[in-house]
Amino acid sequence: MNMKFKALTGLAIVSVSALILGSCTANADSPGLEYMPDMYRSPAIEPYVDYGEIRGRINEDVKLQQSALTPPAGTVPYFGKDSETVSLMLPYFRKANIAFRETHGLYGVDLTTSDEYTAAAADLNPYKLTADNAEGMFKKGKELYTAMCQHCHGEKGDGNGPMVVSGAYAGVPNYKDRSALGDGQMFYSIYYGKGAMGSHASQLTKKEIWTLVHYVRKFQNADYGKFDASGAMTATAAVPADTTKN
Ligand code: HEC
C-alpha cells in the first residue's frame, strides 16, 4: 500500500515536472506551451473579409470572401445622436418610378407607376436652414459637393465640371437654369438619379442630400442663406417662397 502510494506520488511528481519544464522554451519572448490559446490571443475576426485562417490552419472555402452579411432590404440604418440625423433615417417615402429600373438599374427596389417626381415639388426641405446653422450647413455642403458632385457640375455649379470640360460627359445643367425646381424634386433627383446622373442613395445619407439641396440653392442665388436681424432670410428671388419658411 505504502509502496503503491510512493510510486504514484513519484509518478505524479515526475509528470507534473515534465509538464512544467516542457512548457518552458529557450525563447524569452515565447509564451511557452499554451493550454487555451484563444484566451490569451483571440483569433482576429474581421467583419468585411475572411482570410480563412485560424492559427495557421487555412479554410479555403471562406478565404477572401466577404464575411459580413448584406442587411435585408428595407433595413433602417441607425446611428448618430442628434435628432436631425435620426429623424431623417426612416426610408424615403417617395418611390422611384418603374422606368428607373431600366434607366438607373434600380432592381430590387420598391417602384411605382405614379409620377412621384412631380409630386415631390411640394416637399419642403426638412433640414431647416437658420441663421445659426447656415455657416456649418454650407461648409458641410461644400465638402460633400466637392467630393461627390463637382466633377460633373463644376465648382461654380454652372455644369462645367472637369468631366464635362474633358469632353467625357455632356448634358450637365447650370443650376441657375433649374431655379424653379422644388426642394423635394432636387432631393428626388439626387437620391434616385435623373437622366445621365446616377442615384446617390447608397453614397449619401438623407441628411447629407438635404444639406446639398441647400448648397445647390446657393449657386442659384448668392443671397440664399443670408439672414436679417430678425432671423428671416433676405433672399427671395430664385428661391421658392416657402423654402425660407421651413
Ligand atoms: C456623373 C455626373 C454627375 C454627378 C456626379 C452628379 N450629377 Fe447632378 N446632374 C447630372 C446631369 C447630367 C443632370 C441633368 C439630368 C437631367 O435633367 O436629365 C444632373 C442634374 C442635377 C440636378 C437637377 C435635377 C432636376 O430634377 O432637374 C441637381 C439638383 C443635381 N444634379 C445635383 C447634384 C448633386 C447635389 C450631386 C452630388 C451629390 C450631383 N448632382 C452629382 C450629372 C451629375
Side-chain angles (χ1 to χ4, degrees), residues 117 144-145 147-153 163-164 169-173 175 178 181-182 185-190 193-198 200 204 208-209 212-213 215-216 220:
Y117 175 68
L144 294 167
Y145 183 83
M148 311 288 295
C149 326
Q150 191 169 298
H151 52 289
C152 285
H153 284 278
M163 292 268 284
V164 177
Y169 214 78
V172 183
Y175 287 134
R178 304 251 168 136
L181 286 174
Q185 282 178 309
M186 287 206 215
F187 182 95
Y188 189 96
S189 295
I190 300 166
K194 186 179 186 213
M197 174 164 76
H200 289 85
L204 296 164
E208 287 170 334
I209 298 184
L212 282 163
V213 169
Y215 194 70
V216 169
Q220 294 171 333

